[in-house]
Amino acid sequence: MKAVLAYSGGLDTSVCVKLLQEKYGCEVVTVTVDVGLARGELREVEEKARSLGVVEHYTIDAREEFARKYIFRAIKANASYQGYPLSTALARPLIAEKVVEVAERENAEALAHGATGKGNDQFRFEAVFRALAPDKRIIAPIRELNLTRKESIAYAKKHGIAVPVDVEKPYSIDENLWGRSIEGGSLEDPAFVPPEEIYEWTRLRRHEPELIEVEFSRGEPVKLNGRALEPVELIVEANRLAGEHGVGRIDMIEDRILGLKARENYECPAAELLITAHRALEALVLTRRELAFKAQVEARWSELVYFGLWNEPLRLALDAFIDRTQERVSGRVKLRLHQGSCRVVARESENALYSLEAVSFDDKSLDQRSVEGMLRYHALQAEMYWRTLRRR
Ligand code: ARG
């Protein structure tokens, strides 16, 4: 049987290659979908896969697609699940789709992933596998063999697989253009204070405050500090700029799909910068009713994506609503970055629903006396309620 495995080069997926060969008798094809790894690392990942005896390896550059079709959608949706700006969750459906494409090209019977039975990624991979390739067998070796992380490490050592993590610091790290997540090991104790070393993208390198301007066109970021950038470049640059100020560090308790509460650490400087700016612009151009309704849509959108339901028709319908609102979300936002904080300090748009004359205390164009009629009825029902009390 030929199996196509989503391969990151990390501990779990490397162990999976061997397990698929040994315990399942498979020929293994590995697919590494690049959603934001450093260039050099990809070559190492390929070499590692080949050294494990795979029959074929594919490296697929999906950064552009990830940025345009997934991250930009997440920005328009101000995507956040319980305060986690969806990053891993956002990339999984795209990775799974690419695995299916390779399986078709390779005429493979099985699709495989290295997710455990405790996390969210198994749901995300398998939802896509089932939707796009219902006839293929799904193999999840780590879950099916009920392996612990310690057992995986032992198995890796036994098979001469280079282990990038050690038993002292067995962090499980996932990263893509939109964020980096660190979990496992001593971080599993929510009372444990994470050591500085777990962070890579948000080490404080600049100590003076800095102003950054983000320009949006129809809800999508197009310029940083006046410089037009392509989506991937823009996100990479936003991560660098905000990360240097320590912006985008999150330490949280998250409710996983299964219901398990998990302690999660994230680094997401670009997400923090761009979503903060995007929200500020929306506040200027959308009506209060649009904003209130959109907040509900955002919560539902984020929950669907977190739950791996990217292909659920409701997600597409919500995106249609979101896109309609984004037609006017164009303009510029200035933010002040300093010591881990990212604060909006100015915003402007041609579509602003803002009238300086109307709101200014120094202007007469809105005649204050004209409001009297509205005041009379503003609290009509409350007024009547108090009247009934007085009658008793
Ligand atoms: N909890 C996050 C999610 O479910 C991130 C999981 C990342 N995985 C990891 N091995 N660090 O989307």
Side-chain angles (χ1 to χ4, degrees), residues 7-22:
Y7 184 70
S8 68
L11 171 70
D12 289 323
T13 55
S14 297
V15 163
C16 280
V17 174
K18 282 283 162 218
L19 290 172
L20 286 166
Q21 293 163 337
E22 247 196 10

Side-chain angles (χ1 to χ4, degrees), residues 58-298:
Y58 289 77
T59 300
I60 298 175
D61 182 355
R63 302 203 316 162
E64 181 78 18
E65 192 177 353
F66 183 48
R68 283 186 197 275
K69 294 204 204 141
Y70 293 75
I71 296 176
F72 277 14
R73 288 221 162 281
I75 294 172
K76 293 184 202 178
N78 296 321
S80 159
Y81 172 79
Q82 301 184 328
Y84 153 46
L86 307 175
S87 46
T88 297
L90 201 59
R92 292 307 188 204
L94 175 60
I95 295 172
E97 195 184 302
K98 300 295 178 202
V99 169
V100 171
E101 281 170 26
V102 169
E104 263 145 27
R105 186 162 356 143
E106 287 277 333
N107 254 317
E109 293 93 341
L111 305 164
H113 64 78
T116 70
K118 295 193 174 184
N120 297 322
D121 290 330
Q122 53 183 336
F123 293 95
R124 298 167 182 155
F125 277 117
E126 296 190 25
V128 173
F129 288 170
R130 274 171 220 284
L132 304 185
D135 297 331
K136 298 211 189 290
R137 174 168 169 200
I138 297 173
I139 309 178
I142 307 280
R143 180 185 68 222
E144 290 168 14
L145 300 166
N146 200 17
L147 294 181
T148 64
R149 203 149 170 83
K150 280 209 177 83
E151 287 168 343
S152 291
I153 293 175
Y155 182 87
K157 291 204 165 130
K158 204 175 97 201
H159 288 79
I161 299 171
V163 181
V165 297
D166 62 52
V167 195
E168 303 301 306
K169 297 169 194 163
Y171 302 129
S172 168
I173 294 166
D174 182 63
E175 60 179 63
N176 63 46
L177 279 173
W178 202 226
R180 178 169 182 272
S181 114
I182 315 104
E183 54 184 25
S186 37
L187 301 173
E188 285 176 351
D189 176 0
F192 174 78
V193 179
E196 191 60 24
E197 65 185 24
I198 70 163
Y199 300 110
E200 276 184 12
W201 296 8
T202 55
R203 294 204 185 129
L204 207 58
R205 292 185 174 92
R206 311 262 313 241
H207 297 272
E208 297 305 312
E210 185 179 5
L211 274 194
I212 306 272
E213 187 187 76
V214 186
E215 180 167 335
F216 290 86
S217 169
R218 298 174 153 251
E220 299 183 348
V222 290
K223 287 186 188 172
L224 285 181
N225 291 330
R227 199 153 64 92
L229 294 169
E230 290 299 303
V232 172
E233 265 184 296
L234 187 139
I235 292 156
V236 169
E237 182 66 0
N239 270 324
R240 192 187 62 77
L241 283 170
E244 286 180 347
H245 288 278
V247 167
R249 234 178 231 198
I250 298 170
D251 182 330
M252 65 181 287
I253 298 292
E254 177 180 303
D255 292 296
R256 287 195 188 150
I257 300 170
L258 265 179
L260 292 170
K261 283 195 183 291
R263 196 277 185 88
E264 299 284 346
N265 283 276
Y266 297 109
E267 294 186 280
C268 48
E272 169 102 32
L273 177 76
L274 297 173
I275 291 180
T276 302
H278 180 256
R279 280 184 194 282
L281 194 56
E282 286 189 325
L284 190 64
V285 303
L286 300 184
T287 68
R288 75 170 119 187
R289 291 190 173 79
E290 283 180 303
L291 288 168
F293 189 74
K294 185 166 182 284
Q296 298 177 42
V297 169
E298 289 168 0

Side-chain angles (χ1 to χ4, degrees), residues 211 247 276 333-338 341-346:
L211 274 194
V247 167
T276 302
V333 179
K334 285 199 177 79
L335 304 101
R336 183 180 185 274
L337 309 184
H338 191 217
S341 85
C342 167
R343 224 156 29 79
V344 173
V345 290

